[in-house]
Amino acid sequence: RNPEGKTEVVIDSCFPVKGVGTVALGIVQQGIVRVHQKLTFLPSGTEAEIKSIQVQDENTTAAEASSRVGLNLKGIDSEQVGKGDLAVEETFAPATKIEAAVQLTKFYKGSIESVQFFILAGLKAVACKAKKAGEKYEIEMGAPVCLRAGETACVFLPEAMPRVIGKALVVKVLG
């Protein structure tokens, strides 16, 4: 986790609280999150303001990288935020297609070109299909995922043993 840089919070749940409003729970991955800060939730692109922050059930005005936080949000409904969404200070376009260097485990004997598999990026798992493109793969995702060039995602098959079959290093976001 990076204490420097623009704020990024990975969300693991979001729900309405009667008399309070929308509350999102997550972990600050990078930077510092502050009360009254405006963050954009990806992949939806919806902006919200932080009304209050709790860390370890204590109210605070800021939380740094690695902190588990509860964020009371203004300007967004709980239905607009899902598990694995990112709340970011500096927005970017979520990926729907990537070029990736895929490294499969020695225990997986199949090909990812012939099956539907899943990518796990942060806390979000998305169904994917791949085709070989030279030394790399073009991976098309069934839904937008918060991945950027240089980041790595877990590759898995839900019905396979072993479940995790490899990793994908994003070389370039294609769409």
Side-chain angles (χ1 to χ4, degrees), residues 92-99 138-141 143-148 170 172-175:
F92 61 93
T96 54
K97 188 175 185 180
I98 59 171
E99 179 182 310
E138 282 186 9
I139 299 174
E140 193 164 334
M141 285 147 312
V145 178
C146 296
L147 274 175
R148 294 167 279 201
V170 180
K172 183 170 27 173
V173 175
L174 302 174

Side-chain angles (χ1 to χ4, degrees), residues 98 118-122 145 147 151-155 166-170:
I98 59 171
F118 287 79
I119 277 192
L120 180 65
V145 178
L147 274 175
E151 295 181 340
T152 302
C154 178
V155 178
K167 64 181 179 179
L169 173 63
V170 180

Side-chain angles (χ1 to χ4, degrees), residues 6-174:
K6 302 289 185 182
T7 304
E8 291 187 7
V9 181
V10 65
I11 304 299
D12 59 66
S13 64
C14 190
F15 46 88
V17 175
K18 192 171 184 154
V20 174
T22 302
V23 173
L25 303 179
I27 297 175
V28 181
Q29 297 285 359
Q30 177 176 293
I32 297 172
V33 62
R34 297 177 179 1
V35 171
H36 303 299
Q37 183 176 19
K38 290 186 179 174
L39 297 176
T40 302
F41 285 76
L42 299 176
S44 74
T46 305
E47 188 177 90
E49 182 181 340
I50 313 264
K51 291 196 310 190
S52 64
I53 301 171
Q54 281 194 346
V55 175
Q56 302 290 322
D57 293 323
E58 297 288 331
N59 288 330
T60 184
T61 58
E64 58 190 29
S66 298
S67 298
R68 171 98 173 125
V69 294
L71 305 174
N72 184 359
L73 303 171
K74 177 182 176 183
I76 195 167
D77 290 327
S78 60
E79 297 84 30
Q80 295 175 281
V81 182
K83 182 175 183 171
D85 285 5
L86 277 183
V88 298
E89 184 177 0
E90 186 173 87
T91 188
F92 61 93
T96 54
K97 188 175 185 180
I98 59 171
E99 179 182 310
V102 176
Q103 182 180 2
L104 298 174
T105 68
K106 64 182 179 181
F107 303 107
Y108 180 67
K109 305 300 181 203
S111 164
I112 63 170
E113 292 176 275
S114 60
V115 296
Q116 180 177 342
F117 59 95
F118 287 79
I119 277 192
L120 180 65
L123 296 173
K124 188 168 280 201
V126 175
C128 301
K129 291 187 177 189
K131 67 179 181 178
K132 193 86 165 144
E135 295 288 312
K136 309 207 176 3
Y137 287 89
E138 282 186 9
I139 299 174
E140 193 164 334
M141 285 147 312
V145 178
C146 296
L147 274 175
R148 294 167 279 201
E151 295 181 340
T152 302
C154 178
V155 178
F156 71 96
L157 293 174
E159 70 280 356
M161 287 307 277
R163 190 175 170 114
V164 174
I165 62 169
K167 64 181 179 179
L169 173 63
V170 180
V171 175
K172 183 170 27 173
V173 175
L174 302 174

